[in-house]
Amino acid sequence: MRDVLSQIVRWWAAGETFGLATVVSTFRSAPRPPGAAMAVSGEEAEGSVSGGCVEGAVYELAREVAASGVPVLQRYGVSDDDAFSAGLTCGGILDVFVEPVSREAFPELGEVAGSVSAREPVAVATVLSGPGRTGARRIVWPDRASGSLGGDWLDDAVDDDARGMLAQGITGIRRYGPHGERRLDDLAVFVHSFAPPPRMLVFGAIDFAAAVARIGKFLGYHVVVCDARPVFATARRFPDADEVVVRWPHDYLTSITVDERTAICVLTHDPRFDVPLLEVALRTPAGYVGAMGSRRTHEDRLERLRQAGLGEAELARLRSPIGLDLGARTPEETAVSIAAELVQLRWGGSGRPLTGGSGRIHGDGVRR
């Protein structure tokens, strides 16, 4: 819904009733992940749920739901009888929840949009099926909640799960008993997490950093470029960065909070900068710590870090030389190799060419 949020808020504010279709679960090689959304108002559509495979069918269903006011949970997949029917020719299966949205049906939408805009974590929990009221909705923030799914016990259980999912940036279905029991029961609740984008911290104001900042922004990161040299660390040189910080890298990293979703890319190429920086970085919970340099530089860096007191378990977290082996030469190619490693680690891919493999392309779909 984040992709269509600005448009649906305009429809909502204008008092329109529209259909909102959201992917709530996927199986096999589905093209879009849970949370992908399409909004339909009259003959106008925004967003996508399948990259083209079933857009027409979802569009028509969203119009029907907007007119009837009755939410629908619909499954789309390949038809064994007719490969050209409304199905996913890529072989995947999508469960799509289509609901009517208006100021009356979703009075909290403006507040949700405000939280997303302000980068405040917020989750929208919606009953999809089971003994509860289909379409019932609860909005969960780290410190408060609004609305009800049908009972205090269920609300409390969903609040706990939604806050845990927000902390991890996870969107998906959770199942409960009628009183909130976590027993994979028939009551299905879709929790759509709007966590702030993960951060990419790029250290070293060099041409490679500009390319990494550009592709990091493309991947959805909040990108910070940091360097101690004010003549190089400027917004003009790094237009794609959300922030440009002039400060000694290790001092800056010590001053901020780092979580498991943070990616740290050390491109300083100078032991005066990167050794103190990596000494701090490898002791944070950052999900990715990579450093640029040759094999010789890497070995020298490891020895300096050992002398600084880091253990082998901490050193094993360092991705160095940074990136996957793509034969990259230019800053842009190197940025692609770093991005490829980030995606591989996030989703557990092998890094091998798909053409030489077999089985499912997208694996288990579990974020690492």
Side-chain angles (χ1 to χ4, degrees), residues 213-339:
R214 190 177 311 121
I215 204 164
K217 191 66 178 174
F218 177 76
L219 289 177
Y221 286 93
H222 179 88
V223 179
V224 180
V225 174
C226 177
D227 195 293
R229 302 165 297 177
V231 68
F232 296 116
T234 66
R236 182 184 62 81
R237 296 187 71 230
F238 299 96
D240 297 291
D242 295 285
E243 302 175 55
V244 179
V245 176
V246 180
R247 193 166 172 182
W248 277 85
H250 67 282
D251 286 340
Y252 172 69
L253 188 58
T254 303
S255 72
I256 64 173
T257 300
V258 173
D259 61 24
E260 293 82 358
R261 302 167 68 219
T262 304
I264 298 175
C265 302
V266 179
L267 313 179
T268 48
H269 242 309
D270 186 333
R272 294 177 303 165
F273 292 96
D274 59 18
V275 171
L277 172 59
L278 287 170
E279 185 180 351
V280 176
L282 292 171
R283 287 171 171 155
T284 70
Y288 179 88
V289 181
M292 180 179 284
S294 66
R295 303 279 184 196
R296 179 180 298 178
T297 298
H298 173 64
E299 293 302 324
D300 176 71
R301 183 187 290 136
L302 288 179
E303 185 55 38
R304 291 173 184 264
L305 290 170
R306 289 189 182 98
Q307 293 174 7
L310 269 73
E312 295 306 313
E314 293 167 320
L315 296 177
R317 298 182 57 220
L318 179 59
R319 315 291 297 193
S320 175
I322 194 170
L324 295 187
D325 181 11
L326 305 182
R329 295 290 189 275
T330 67
E332 291 75 18
E333 290 174 346
T334 301
V336 169
S337 78
I338 294 171

